[in-house]
Amino acid sequence: MENQSNQTESIPKITPEQSKLLQSALRIKILHALAKEAKTAKQAAVQLQQTPGNIHYHIQKLHDGGFLEIVKTQTVRGVVEKYYQSLGTAFKTDARSEIEFIPGERPSHLSTSLLLSDSELEQFREELNQLLSRWESHQSTGAEYGISIKIGRISV
């Protein structure tokens, strides 16, 4: 397992503008759908059980924002098919964008303190990233929820 600093360095840093593009659960699902295998917008739409037009719109936004690359194009019966691949599914940013929750609803708030060695902190972060990644790519048509997690040393 990599040490924590190497693990953090491997996560690409994004701009505040790029961070705004990722404030959509569907766009995050698209990144996961295109992470392991390049697909067309139509193939991604089938996988995500969405309309091709909707997925194409979001793929264009993600491509323009630097999150997707076109890895192959081919013409089939006169139609140009573009195959997109995600450049990642985890990103870090300095942007302090707060999630805007539905007015009047109180979001859940969880808080705790842990005693962790450097290697335990690394393991905790890795397990947390795996958990979030699994749920980000989970197929669901439910409501969209925001999650914000801060991890840092505290003064006592």
Side-chain angles (χ1 to χ4, degrees):
M1 200 174 234
E2 296 176 340
N3 70 36
Q4 192 267 324
S5 61
N6 286 345
Q7 195 175 43
T8 303
E9 290 171 12
S10 68
I11 299 174
K13 190 171 181 179
I14 59 173
T15 66
E17 293 78 22
Q18 288 175 309
S19 181
K20 288 178 185 176
L21 288 172
L22 299 182
Q23 293 181 354
S24 160
L26 180 56
R27 288 184 182 164
I28 290 171
K29 285 187 181 302
I30 291 169
L31 290 178
H32 282 277
L34 302 174
K36 293 181 182 157
E37 179 185 358
K39 294 180 175 91
T40 65
K42 185 174 181 179
Q43 290 169 331
V46 169
Q47 179 181 338
L48 297 172
Q49 300 173 354
Q50 298 284 322
T51 64
N54 186 26
I55 294 301
H56 183 264
Y57 170 82
H58 290 290
I59 281 178
Q60 285 302 300
K61 292 289 187 183
L62 290 168
H63 179 261
D64 293 345
F67 292 103
L68 301 175
E69 65 180 347
I70 298 171
V71 296
K72 179 173 94 171
T73 58
Q74 66 184 29
T75 304
V76 177
R77 290 183 230 116
V79 176
V80 177
E81 292 181 335
K82 296 177 184 177
Y83 286 77
Y84 296 89
Q85 181 109 39
S86 171
L87 297 174
T89 57
F91 305 94
K92 62 183 175 181
T93 181
D94 290 334
R96 295 187 142 252
S97 59
E98 292 294 321
I99 296 171
E100 292 185 30
F101 296 103
I102 295 174
E105 278 195 23
R106 274 187 81 182
S108 301
H109 180 85
L110 306 172
S111 181
T112 190
S113 296
L114 303 172
L115 295 173
L116 301 170
S117 67
D118 289 344
S119 63
E120 289 169 328
L121 176 60
E122 177 186 337
Q123 180 183 353
F124 179 79
R125 284 183 170 148
E126 180 60 31
E127 289 177 17
L128 188 56
N129 284 333
Q130 289 173 1
L131 176 68
L132 290 173
S133 181
R134 188 181 77 204
W135 280 97
E136 286 171 348
S137 59
H138 178 74
Q139 294 298 323
S140 176
T141 56
E144 188 166 345
Y145 288 85
I147 297 172
S148 177
I149 299 169
K150 295 180 184 179
I151 300 174
R153 302 255 335 245
I154 58 174
S155 60
V156 282

